[in-house]
């Protein structure tokens, strides 16, 4: 199996590795994280997407007293990006978390639902989406949504006989 993950990189070293656009993307994901509506979990998640033409779209997790109504930061950003800019490709997505209650030792990876959504957009646009996970100490880069969900459900399965 090909190597999927680039090693965790200390955040201080990231300054030299990341492009200006990527630094901007991280900063927008952090801003989004601060705007999360997460009064039930107290677990804030922020996500920012870089589209073609250097357009950024961000989102945070949005919870509700009726728990299942809530939605993750990644899908908030993805659906917003694809609603507003349906023709633009998604180049990169950055995800970060913040919580006063939970330890934030490792950068958090997207849940299964968000992986499925990311993957369908990746397949549709015929080019990979880079995924960056980060916290205050480390970041890691995953080269493609497919690497996060190798055995996925795709629209081909819905082709009628
Ligand atoms: N959450 C996200 O926003 N993204 C993920 O990938 C995992 C979990 C949110 C959902 C919920 O509001 C809170 O984090 C705790 O699960």
């Amino acid at each position: 199996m090909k190597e999927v993950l680039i090693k965790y990189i200390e955040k201080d070293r990231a300054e030299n590795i990341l492009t200006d656009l990527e630094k901007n993307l991280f900063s927008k994901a952090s801003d989004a994280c601060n705007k999360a509506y997460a009064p039930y979990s107290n677990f804030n998640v922020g996500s920012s997407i870089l589209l073609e033409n250097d357009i950024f779209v961000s989102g945070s997790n949005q919870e509700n007293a009726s728990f299942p109504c809530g939605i993750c930061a990644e899908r908030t950003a993805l659906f917003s990006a694809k609603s507003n800019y349906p023709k633009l490709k998604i180049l990169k997505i950055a995800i970060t978390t913040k919580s006063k209650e939970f330890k934030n030792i490792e950068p958090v990876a997207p849940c299964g639902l968000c992986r499925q959504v990311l993957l369908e957009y990746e397949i549709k646009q015929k080019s990979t989406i880079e995924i960056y996970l980060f916290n205050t100490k480390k970041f890691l880069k995953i080269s493609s949504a497919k690497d996060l969900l190798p055995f996925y459900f795709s629209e081909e399965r819905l082709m009628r006989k």
Side-chain angles (χ1 to χ4, degrees), residues 1-74:
M1 196 177 167
K2 74 182 165 97
E3 195 178 354
V4 169
L5 301 179
I6 291 182
K7 287 194 186 75
Y8 282 107
I9 299 169
E10 299 303 318
K11 202 74 187 305
D12 296 344
R13 275 184 52 219
E15 287 298 306
N16 311 320
I17 294 166
L18 297 172
T19 63
D20 285 346
L21 268 179
E22 287 162 353
K23 285 180 195 163
N24 213 346
L25 186 69
F26 277 39
S27 145
K28 286 181 189 301
S30 296
D31 290 347
C33 196
N34 291 327
K35 294 178 191 153
Y37 177 61
Y40 305 101
S41 70
N42 281 326
F43 189 80
N44 283 27
V45 187
S47 172
S48 191
I49 290 171
L50 175 65
L51 298 167
E52 289 177 310
N53 304 342
D54 294 353
I55 292 172
F56 294 92
V57 179
S58 304
S60 56
N61 54 331
Q62 298 295 316
E63 299 183 348
N64 193 278
S66 171
F67 290 176
C69 298
I71 185 167
C72 294
E74 297 89 325

Side-chain angles (χ1 to χ4, degrees), residues 92-108:
K92 300 166 192 279
I93 180 168
I95 302 155
T96 193
T97 59
K98 200 174 178 182
S99 177
K100 290 199 176 104
E101 276 184 36
F102 299 98
K103 290 179 185 163
N104 194 1
I105 300 165
E106 302 297 338
V108 167

